[in-house]
Amino acid sequence: MPASLSRSAPQEPAEVVRLAGWLSVTERRDVLAHRVADFAQRWDGGQDWHGGPGPAAARYR
């Protein structure tokens, strides 16, 4: 009988890690980065976006 795999729940990354990630996205100027930024601002009203909810979030409320 194979052993069961037990994994702990993943932890949320620290705020400094999230902010560094958003900075790396916003420094880019390609289409994918633009789409990621737009999606991130719409996701839960943009609460995790580095500048808070942006104008894109207001369009989807």
Side-chain angles (χ1 to χ4, degrees):
M1 171 183 242
S4 64
L5 298 176
S6 60
R7 297 182 183 173
S8 59
Q11 296 180 11
E12 290 288 323
E15 183 178 5
V16 69
V17 173
R18 289 195 317 268
L19 292 176
W22 289 129
L23 180 60
S24 69
V25 170
T26 57
E27 287 178 337
R28 294 171 46 174
R29 298 291 178 234
D30 57 277
V31 173
L32 178 60
H34 174 75
R35 288 183 181 177
V36 167
D38 185 51
F39 183 80
Q41 291 179 26
R42 287 187 284 149
W43 186 264
D44 74 4
Q47 296 303 313
D48 197 39
W49 186 244
H50 69 301
R59 292 190 305 232
Y60 300 100
R61 289 185 186 162

